[in-house]
Amino acid sequence: MQIVWFKKDLRITDHRPLIEAMQHGTVLPLYVAEPELWQQPDASERQWCFVKECLKELDGDLRKLGQGLILRIGSVTDVLDELKMSCGVAGVWAHEETGNGWSFARDRTVSAWCRLNGVRFHEFPQTGVIRGLSSRDGWARKWDRFMRADILPAPKTLEPVLDEPFHLPTAADLGLEEDFCPGRQRGGRREGQRILSSFLAERAGPYRRSMSSPLSAERHCSRLSPYLAYGCVSMREVAQATWGRQRELKEQANPPQGWRGSLSSFAGRLHWHCHFMQKLEDAPSIEFKNLHPAYDGLRDVSNESVLAAWSAGQTGFPFVDACMRYLRHGGWVNFRMRAMLMAFASYHLWLNWREPGLHLARQFVDYEPGIHWPQVQMQSGTTGINTVRVYNPVKQGYDQDGGGEFVRRWVPELAAVPTSFIHEPWKWEEASSILDKSYPVPIVDHMSAAKAARQKIWALRKSEEFKLRSAAIQTKHGSRKSGLAQVQQKPKASRRKAETRGGDGGQMSFLFDGPNQS
């Protein structure tokens, strides 16, 4: 019997392990709900609720083929022991996963179990991430080649092996705390396909200009990120559908305005999705340790009250708080706002990136460790190869929510504040009627906090030793489209001014608008 172990690849189309396993014997599709995985500090009930919907649909699709999904609760090796005793196991087939540190160790344990028990363990790449990559040179060409390969059709039938009732564990069964998320996206392949279709046919036109503001991003970003994170649709399917739509538009004499540029931007972000995952694949310690060791010890003093205020959307900065509350409600916020939230925690509040990073990971229904942790470090200034980017939380509010509509929706405590003061209520002449009563005073002076943070970060970047280490990091992890000079040098005055105001300023500004969460 061949076990097809489903993890974050919850579909039957373009599923190479499933197709390959069928060539070697009877197939048993297996999903293991692992309590230890779901008790990790980056996991949440909202994520499990999404996964449950995906699993229910996957089971239905497999049952139509003749064999439903076998679901077990426990550790994978314990489940494999049981199946080996009851049914016999000749092979285990799975996709490679660039997950968190726990899942990385789990996969190695499963591989060791297979060797010990004389079972072949077959793993296949699912995205453009390359396991065991020795050099970034030529990576983009390999990505293109992988994505242009034929999409594997779903199998037509599966031989029945086990007929078991399909019972999904509750969040409590997995040790998860209650985490109400009423606005989250619904899981499942069909919903992912519908969203992909609506994006390419109806919503993508204003994508390039609409992705930055949470007001417009909700509709005009693709919203595919959770379906990619859990493999309801494959990256190859999304890439090929995007390229097909681009060809259609190119053939039109008068394509709708903005569409070609927007889809070009989106196609580029599909590359960035895997580019960031490759970083964690090559250096799993990014989840736990500063990429550049010069920053070790920089923010080691904990501040639980400040972390709690930021996590609850109670910092006294209306736009920051609105974004955090919006995220809590729906499990998603656009990429620029993710970057702002993380940068505000790291620079203005001077928090070590690990705990804010874990809070955001739990909030994101579309949490993808390979994107999340490199971006957390990037927005915290600890990579050593990216421009220090300090978002001005007040200017971001004026830029992305000029009329205050978003703030009023998510921070109702400010209903009485005139629009001209909605992003700086402390300047309103009647501020004392609200501040420190129904809404907190600003937790820091954002201008002086940003200045102090910038000075501390740049002070570490002056030494030749720092630059040498940065060069090595760039060689291993950097895009071949960016150069060392622009990431190691301190920004010019005009660029520093833009950063202070919260503008783009730094290198490759398109990158910050979302490798996955666009």
Side-chain angles (χ1 to χ4, degrees), residues 83-122:
L83 290 172
K84 186 172 184 292
M85 290 290 292
S86 61
C87 306
V89 177
V92 175
W93 304 74
H95 276 119
E96 295 171 349
E97 179 182 350
T98 303
N100 61 13
W102 188 92
S103 67
F104 178 70
R106 182 270 320 273
D107 287 354
R108 296 179 68 178
T109 300
V110 171
S111 180
W113 181 93
C114 288
R115 288 194 303 272
L116 183 65
N117 287 274
V119 173
R120 294 287 301 275
F121 186 33
H122 310 266

Side-chain angles (χ1 to χ4, degrees), residues 214-215 218 322 325-326 401 404-412:
L215 285 167
E218 182 174 317
R325 297 179 191 189
Y326 173 76
D401 183 33
E405 176 186 344
F406 186 74
V407 166
R408 291 190 184 283
R409 185 184 310 164
W410 296 103
V411 191

Side-chain angles (χ1 to χ4, degrees), residues 4 8 22 45 51 62 64 136 145 203 210 275 304 327 398 451 461 502:
V4 176
K8 296 180 74 175
M22 292 176 64
E45 182 190 31
V51 170
L62 287 165
K64 291 175 184 176
R136 278 278 185 159
R145 187 161 58 247
R203 299 185 288 110
S210 298
H275 165 81
E304 294 298 326
L327 171 60
Y398 284 118
K451 181 179 180 181
R461 298 169 71 108

Side-chain angles (χ1 to χ4, degrees), residues 212-373:
S212 294
S213 170
L215 285 167
S216 51
E218 182 174 317
R219 171 168 173 75
H220 295 295
C221 282
S222 76
R223 306 305 306 274
L224 287 167
S225 50
Y227 307 97
L228 287 169
Y230 293 103
C232 305
V233 294
S234 73
M235 175 60 77
R236 182 184 285 125
E237 290 180 286
V238 174
Q240 292 193 16
T242 302
W243 295 335
R245 180 64 169 138
Q246 286 180 293
R247 287 192 295 271
E248 288 179 6
L249 292 168
K250 190 174 182 179
E251 292 168 0
Q252 293 180 11
N254 296 297
Q257 188 175 6
W259 273 82
R260 289 174 62 174
S262 287
L263 288 184
S264 177
S265 294
F266 178 71
R269 284 168 180 81
L270 299 181
H271 280 84
W272 286 113
H273 169 283
C274 299
H275 165 81
F276 276 96
M277 291 181 69
Q278 187 73 56
K279 293 174 185 284
L280 190 64
E281 176 70 31
D282 295 342
S285 63
I286 289 174
E287 181 185 352
F288 307 102
K289 296 169 56 180
N290 292 322
L291 183 58
H292 199 302
Y295 296 107
D296 292 351
L298 184 65
R299 300 182 176 107
D300 280 355
V301 178
S302 62
N303 193 325
E304 294 298 326
S305 62
V306 169
L307 175 64
W310 173 83
S311 301
Q314 292 285 345
T315 67
F317 289 92
F319 191 59
V320 171
D321 294 341
C323 287
M324 186 64 83
R325 297 179 191 189
Y326 173 76
L327 171 60
R328 184 174 59 200
H329 173 83
W332 182 91
V333 70
N334 61 311
F335 191 82
R336 183 176 293 272
M337 300 303 94
R338 297 180 189 219
M340 180 193 71
L341 288 171
M342 193 64 230
F344 184 79
S346 295
Y347 292 119
H348 296 88
L349 305 184
W350 205 243
L351 296 171
N352 183 290
W353 52 263
R354 175 68 178 164
E355 288 302 322
L358 285 171
H359 175 77
L360 291 177
R362 292 187 293 269
Q363 294 295 295
F364 295 152
V365 171
D366 59 9
Y367 171 54
E368 180 66 79
I371 294 173
H372 181 72
W373 292 111

Side-chain angles (χ1 to χ4, degrees), residues 33-108:
E34 304 161 273
E36 192 173 347
L37 171 63
W38 289 99
Q39 289 165 24
Q40 295 304 301
D42 53 354
S44 61
E45 182 190 31
R46 60 184 58 196
Q47 296 162 0
W48 174 243
C49 288
F50 185 92
V51 170
K52 283 205 307 182
E53 292 162 355
C54 299
L55 290 171
K56 184 176 181 180
E57 187 173 315
L58 176 62
D59 174 62
D61 290 342
L62 287 165
R63 285 184 185 277
K64 291 175 184 176
L65 301 180
Q67 172 59 59
L69 182 65
I70 300 302
L71 191 145
R72 294 281 197 273
I73 303 174
S75 75
V76 178
T77 51
D78 286 347
V79 170
L80 290 176
D81 275 330
E82 178 190 337
L83 290 172
K84 186 172 184 292
M85 290 290 292
S86 61
C87 306
V89 177
V92 175
W93 304 74
H95 276 119
E96 295 171 349
E97 179 182 350
T98 303
N100 61 13
W102 188 92
S103 67
F104 178 70
R106 182 270 320 273
D107 287 354
R108 296 179 68 178

